[in-house]
């Protein structure tokens, strides 16, 4: 059984409802209760036009990384997410595997740790709430150090719960 860190984000539709629905889904596939960070609101990245709600979750699973990725992508699809070839397009729901234990995985459709983690305060800040002692297995940097090095952005913790 592995501990897996998953990023959740939404910038279309009822963003909070989408995060809550994803939380229910993660509970259904986790072997133990899901550890949930606060929900944060952040400015859009790249070409996206609408602000995001973001959070992090830690689940435990017996699924292999590619099996878990398939489950997450299927749930995104069932939630109404259209596969858009444009990077950073608006999305109803985005579920990304950030860490899978301390494994480093580089296959065609899956890179773990997520290759953009060092650039994403909307991942790092909520992650720090639920896994403050995490060290990135590739860079060897702590979350505190990754946060200090990350590009600044407009981001704040909300009062929303999930």
């Amino acid at each position: 059984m592995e501990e897996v860190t998953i990023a959740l984000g939404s910038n279309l539709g009822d963003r909070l409802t989408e995060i809550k629905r994803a939380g229910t889904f993660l509970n259904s596939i986790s072997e133990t209760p899901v550890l949930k960070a606060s929900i944060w609101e952040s400015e859009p990245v790249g070409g996206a036009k609408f602000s995001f709600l973001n959070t992090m979750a830690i689940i435990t699973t017996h699924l292999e990384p590619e099996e878990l990725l398939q489950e997450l992508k299927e749930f995104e699809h069932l939630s109404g997410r259209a596969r858009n070839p444009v990077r950073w397009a608006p999305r109803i729901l985005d579920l990304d595997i950030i860490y899978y234990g301390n494994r480093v995985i580089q296959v065609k459709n899956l890179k773990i740790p997520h290759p953009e983690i060092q650039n994403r305060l909307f991942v790092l800040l909520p992650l720090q709430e639920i896994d403050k002692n995490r060290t990135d297995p590739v860079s060897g940097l702590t979350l505190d150090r990754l946060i200090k090095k990350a590009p600044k952005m407009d981001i704040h913790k909300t009062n929303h719960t999930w």
Side-chain angles (χ1 to χ4, degrees):
M1 188 161 53
E2 285 283 354
E3 194 172 84
V4 181
T5 307
I6 299 173
L8 300 83
S10 176
N11 79 331
L12 285 179
D14 186 342
R15 301 171 304 160
L16 182 57
T17 296
E18 294 304 327
I19 297 288
K20 288 179 177 183
R21 286 183 63 249
T24 300
F25 165 71
L26 292 176
N27 273 321
S28 76
I29 64 169
S30 184
E31 303 290 328
T32 59
V34 175
L35 188 56
K36 300 174 181 178
S38 300
I39 297 176
W40 295 67
E41 186 159 17
S42 65
E43 67 181 271
V45 175
K49 296 179 181 177
F50 310 109
S51 64
F52 274 84
L53 287 185
N54 297 99
T55 190
M56 296 293 297
I58 296 176
I59 69 168
T60 54
T61 185
H62 289 293
L63 294 172
E64 287 300 314
E66 291 178 277
E67 293 172 313
L68 177 59
L69 177 65
Q70 183 60 38
E71 291 281 329
L72 297 177
K73 296 309 165 199
E74 179 64 20
F75 185 78
E76 287 177 349
H77 176 74
L78 292 173
S79 297
R81 179 174 176 179
R83 284 285 152 214
N84 189 328
V86 177
R87 190 171 187 193
W88 294 313
R91 57 206 59 185
I92 288 174
L93 184 63
D94 190 25
L95 301 172
D96 289 328
I97 301 171
I98 303 300
Y99 292 113
Y100 191 98
N102 283 316
R103 291 193 203 181
V104 176
I105 300 167
Q106 301 286 323
V107 295
K108 182 180 178 183
N109 295 320
L110 183 60
K111 294 182 182 7
I112 300 174
H114 194 286
E116 291 291 322
I117 188 169
Q118 72 278 0
N119 298 318
R120 296 182 170 176
L121 278 177
F122 58 86
V123 168
L124 296 168
L125 291 173
L127 180 56
Q128 187 179 44
E129 293 178 349
I130 59 174
D131 196 5
K132 66 180 180 177
N133 295 318
R134 162 65 71 177
T135 298
D136 183 79
V138 173
S139 68
L141 297 175
T142 64
L143 280 179
D144 285 340
R145 189 76 185 118
L146 288 168
I147 289 167
K148 287 178 182 160
K149 292 180 70 166
K152 302 303 174 222
M153 70 181 315
D154 183 15
I155 183 169
H156 65 275
K157 191 184 302 188
T158 72
N159 292 326
H160 301 305
T161 58
W162 62 295

